[in-house]
């Protein structure tokens, strides 16, 4: 189309802007209407609309429009996907389910560029547009035919759990999650927490349900069940939500930085061709697919044994491992070492993102708030902000200071900030419990 390479940044930014706008609205609308199906149907039509825009695109502004609409669709689809899973599964089953989502996400990220590139070579832009339209049609059929409103499933589970637990439920000090004394091995699809030794960290005083709004960690408008006073601002100021949001910003932002800078590094340092560079990403993607089930499984096991608060310490540990992986990458003098560092980063980032995504569900489930979708929209907003803001900073530092300085400085600042932000909540809650005991 005769535009400069610098215009690629505008195309990338359009996707992020679309995601931010849609992410800000989708969660609120879904929570207010108590409907998870409608937004998913909307996303499928937006994918089709994006494909149609690209199919007839002849001007650069039409490419911008395509990416903007694609950002709308992706944000809505992702927000609803995570929300649906968190609606249905309890805390000690969330981690593995989240890891399954990321496995398929990573498969798409691996195959998309390869298949898209081949189709573009054979059919041009129209071929890519047909893929987008086809994916929208497939999603629409799948949602209409196979998907139930996850809130209906959630309400049925809560009703069944309540009936089954009558007479054996005890109000334990410091718990906002119902505890069953019938044992810890019979948790399947029930939303009752089956670990009798576990104490929720989302509340530190014994409260009847109608006084839950007095909990300083769960404000009145967040815990209200009428859905009339929910907003993103009230969610993000909660430490239990703010820490995981920051961690998603850091992990996805560092991934975006590496995806932007690594091809330049491989060419400048090793002289590798674009084909070899693409293989590098495939190698790391394959490693991540193999490691993801273990990350999710271990996360669930630890939470089932020690409680939800462990998620926050796991995120902080993941942030430390991200920094260590960046040291390996920054000091790598050989290609194999660089890819090893990148593989370690990929696994470490999932050690941050999986418990962070699960922590959103923990908080909403504990507060019995109707703001689940809004909480998960924060994850997309954080990712969008990271993808828009961090790569330009990394590109400037790489050009001015080099790969080592760029990578170590950015990772050190971001990972330390992430660890501090995510540890504030459990430390504060432990302090409150200790203070009450005194």
């Amino acid at each position: 189309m005769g535009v400069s390479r610098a215009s690629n940044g505008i195309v990338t930014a359009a996707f992020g802007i679309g995601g931010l706008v849609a992410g800000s609205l989708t969660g609120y609308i879904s929570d207010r209407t108590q409907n998870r199906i409608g937004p998913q149907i909307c996303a499928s039509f937006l994918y089709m609309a994006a494909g149609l825009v690209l199919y007839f695109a002849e001007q650069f502004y039409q490419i911008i429009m395509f990416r903007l609409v694609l950002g709308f669709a992706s944000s809505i689809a992702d927000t609803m996907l995570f929300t649906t899973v968190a609606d249905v599964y309890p805390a000690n089953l969330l981690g593995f389910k989240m890891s399954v989502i990321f496995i398929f996400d990573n498969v798409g990220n691996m195959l998309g560029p390869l298949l898209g590139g081949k189709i573009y070579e054979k059919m041009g832009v129209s071929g890519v547009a047909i893929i987008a339209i086809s994916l929208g049609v497939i999603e629409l059929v799948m949602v209409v035919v196979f998907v139930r409103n996850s809130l209906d499933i959630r309400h049925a589970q809560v009703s069944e759990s309540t009936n089954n637990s009558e007479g054996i439920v005890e109000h334990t000090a410091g718990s906002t999650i119902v505890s069953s004394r019938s044992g810890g091995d019979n948790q399947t699809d029930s939303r009752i927490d089956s670990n009798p030794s576990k104490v929720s960290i989302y509340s530190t005083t014994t409260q009847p349900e109608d006084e839950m709004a007095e909990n300083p960690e769960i404000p009145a408008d967040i815990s209200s069940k009428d859905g009339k006073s929910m907003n993103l601002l009230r969610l993000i100021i909660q430490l239990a939500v703010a820490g995981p949001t920051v961690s998603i910003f850091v992990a996805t932002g560092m991934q975006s930085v590496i995806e932007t800078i690594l091809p330049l590094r491989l060419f400048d340092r090793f002289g590798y061709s674009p084909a070899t560079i693409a293989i590098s990403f495939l190698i790391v993607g394959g490693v991540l697919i193999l490691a993801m089930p273990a990350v999710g499984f271990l996360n669930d096991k630890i939470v089932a044994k020690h409680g939800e608060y462990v998620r926050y310490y796991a995120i902080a540990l993941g942030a430390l491992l991200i920094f260590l992986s960046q040291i390996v990458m920054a000091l790598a003098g050989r290609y194999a070492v660089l890819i090893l560092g990148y593989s370690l980063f990929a696994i470490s980032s999932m050690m941050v993102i999986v418990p962070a995504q699960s922590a959103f569900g923990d908080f909403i489930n504990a507060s019995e708030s109707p703001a689940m979708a809004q909480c998960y929209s924060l994850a997309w907003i954080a990712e969008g902000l990271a993808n828009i803001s961090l790569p330009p900073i990394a590109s400037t530092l790489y050009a001015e200071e080099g790969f080592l300085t760029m990578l170590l400085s950015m990772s050190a600042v971001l990972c330390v900030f992430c660890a501090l932000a995510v540890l504030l909540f459990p430390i504060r809650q432990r302090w409150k419990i200790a203070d009450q005991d005194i």
Side-chain angles (χ1 to χ4, degrees):
M1 292 185 175
V3 297
S4 65
R5 290 184 176 271
S7 300
N8 289 340
I10 300 175
V11 175
T12 302
F15 181 85
I17 292 171
L20 288 176
V21 173
S24 302
L25 297 175
T26 301
Y28 180 78
I29 294 173
S30 178
D31 287 334
R32 283 296 297 267
T33 61
Q34 293 289 282
N35 189 326
R36 306 299 195 222
I37 301 295
Q40 295 179 67
I41 293 175
C42 177
S44 67
F45 280 110
L46 285 171
Y47 278 122
M48 288 185 268
L52 288 173
V53 171
L54 182 61
Y55 188 87
F56 294 104
E58 295 181 353
Q59 303 293 329
F60 181 64
Y61 79 87
Q62 292 171 311
I63 300 297
I64 299 298
M65 183 65 67
F66 160 70
R67 290 290 290 175
L68 188 68
V69 177
L70 195 64
F72 290 154
S74 297
S75 177
I76 294 172
D78 283 359
T79 298
M80 287 297 98
L81 176 59
F82 286 107
T83 301
T84 297
V85 172
D87 279 339
V88 175
Y89 292 100
N92 62 327
L93 297 177
L94 266 182
F96 184 75
K97 304 303 184 292
M98 293 294 175
S99 70
V100 171
I101 294 175
F102 285 112
I103 288 173
F104 284 95
D105 180 69
N106 201 58
V107 170
N109 290 335
M110 291 173 61
L111 297 181
L114 290 177
L115 297 178
K118 292 295 183 181
I119 292 175
Y120 178 78
E121 291 176 0
K122 299 291 184 181
M123 302 175 61
V125 172
S126 61
V128 179
I130 291 173
I131 292 178
I133 296 172
S134 300
L135 290 175
V137 172
I138 292 172
E139 180 179 3
L140 177 62
V141 172
M142 295 291 287
V143 170
V144 171
V145 175
F146 297 107
V147 178
R148 289 176 58 192
N149 187 356
S150 58
L151 287 173
D152 293 340
I153 302 174
R154 178 187 180 90
H155 295 154
Q157 289 177 346
V158 171
S159 177
E160 180 182 355
S161 298
T162 301
N163 293 335
N164 291 339
S165 61
E166 285 182 359
I168 61 173
V169 175
E170 297 180 11
H171 293 284
T172 57
S175 178
T176 59
I177 297 179
V178 179
S179 298
S180 171
R181 298 299 181 181
S182 59
D185 297 328
N186 58 357
Q187 174 67 59
T188 54
D189 291 332
S190 171
R191 298 201 62 83
I192 291 182
D193 192 321
S194 62
N195 187 342
S197 65
K198 182 169 59 178
V199 177
S200 173
I201 59 168
Y202 298 101
S203 170
T204 58
T205 59
T206 303
Q207 297 171 294
E209 186 173 319
D210 58 356
E211 295 178 5
M212 190 179 296
E214 298 177 7
N215 187 335
E217 285 300 330
I218 306 176
D221 24 342
I222 294 301
S223 60
S224 64
K225 299 180 182 180
D226 57 11
K228 294 182 179 179
S229 54
M230 301 179 295
N231 59 77
L232 289 173
L233 180 60
R234 294 293 298 192
L235 279 169
I236 194 60
I237 63 175
Q238 304 306 305
L239 290 180
V241 175
T245 303
V246 169
S247 68
I248 290 174
F249 174 89
V250 170
T252 58
M254 285 305 302
Q255 176 64 35
S256 185
V257 165
I258 293 175
E259 290 176 352
T260 302
I261 301 300
L262 186 59
L264 301 176
R265 176 63 172 175
L266 291 175
F267 178 79
D268 295 341
R269 177 69 174 82
F270 302 102
Y272 287 158
S273 65
T276 304
I277 294 172
I279 292 174
S280 303
F281 286 101
L282 286 176
I283 293 172
V284 174
V287 170
L288 189 56
I289 289 174
L290 294 175
M292 276 307 306
V295 172
F297 179 79
L298 290 175
N299 191 267
D300 284 344
K301 286 296 184 181
I302 294 173
V303 168
K305 183 176 182 179
H306 299 288
E308 299 99 318
Y309 76 93
V310 176
R311 293 204 204 279
Y312 295 85
Y313 296 117
I315 295 171
L317 175 61
L320 173 61
L321 293 177
I322 286 178
F323 179 59
L324 294 177
S325 71
Q326 299 306 283
I327 294 176
V328 174
M329 292 185 67
L331 299 178
R334 294 186 298 170
Y335 173 75
V337 178
L338 184 62
I339 296 304
L340 173 63
Y342 188 18
S343 299
L344 293 174
F345 164 78
I347 296 172
S348 301
S349 67
M350 286 299 103
M351 291 176 63
V352 170
I353 295 175
V354 168
Q357 292 279 13
S358 302
F360 291 142
D362 290 343
F363 175 77
I364 296 299
N365 288 331
S367 66
E368 300 185 18
S369 164
M372 183 74 80
Q374 290 181 90
C375 207
Y376 276 99
S377 70
L378 285 173
W380 223 103
I381 292 171
E383 182 175 352
L385 289 173
N387 292 339
I388 292 173
S389 61
L390 295 183
I393 297 174
S395 298
T396 301
L397 286 174
Y398 179 76
E400 297 294 332
E401 304 294 338
F403 184 71
L404 186 147
T405 300
M406 178 279 299
L407 203 57
L408 292 184
S409 61
M410 290 192 69
S411 61
V413 172
L414 290 172
C415 290
V416 170
F417 178 59
C418 173
L420 292 177
V422 82
L423 288 176
L424 281 177
F425 175 65
I427 291 175
R428 179 184 177 185
Q429 294 303 93
R430 292 294 187 183
W431 182 272
K432 284 184 177 180
I433 293 173
D435 189 50
Q436 286 181 355
D437 290 341
I438 296 175

